[in-house]
Amino acid sequence: MSKKCVVCGKSTKFGNTVTFSHRRLNRKFAPNIHKVKVLINGTPKRVNVCANCLKHGKVERAN
């Protein structure tokens, strides 16, 4: 499953884990992606949507 939201385009970001001694290790920040059934132009389709877009009602869920 791809880690990209089809609504807002949110995807995996990269950064560092910083320890107490300030050593830096590479890490990934993965978005909270869900595969949901959504109405697109009146037809239901399964797409990857982030939890933020679901929470704010940017997509219409199909039942």
Side-chain angles (χ1 to χ4, degrees):
M1 180 163 82
S2 75
K3 289 286 185 180
K4 186 168 185 178
C5 177
V6 295
V7 178
C8 64
K10 187 183 286 187
S11 62
T12 304
K13 302 293 181 202
F14 298 93
N16 292 312
T17 298
V18 182
T19 64
F20 187 71
S21 62
H22 274 311
R23 289 191 330 171
R24 297 198 171 154
L25 301 168
N26 295 332
R27 65 160 291 182
K28 289 194 287 190
F29 294 92
N32 191 3
I33 300 287
H34 295 276
K35 195 168 215 170
V36 294
K37 199 184 272 189
V38 176
L39 287 178
I40 298 175
N41 297 330
T43 59
K45 292 188 178 180
R46 282 200 178 270
V47 293
N48 296 321
V49 181
C50 69
N52 198 34
C53 290
L54 286 174
K55 179 181 172 183
H56 293 293
K58 294 183 180 179
V59 292
E60 185 179 347
R61 299 281 300 259
N63 291 330

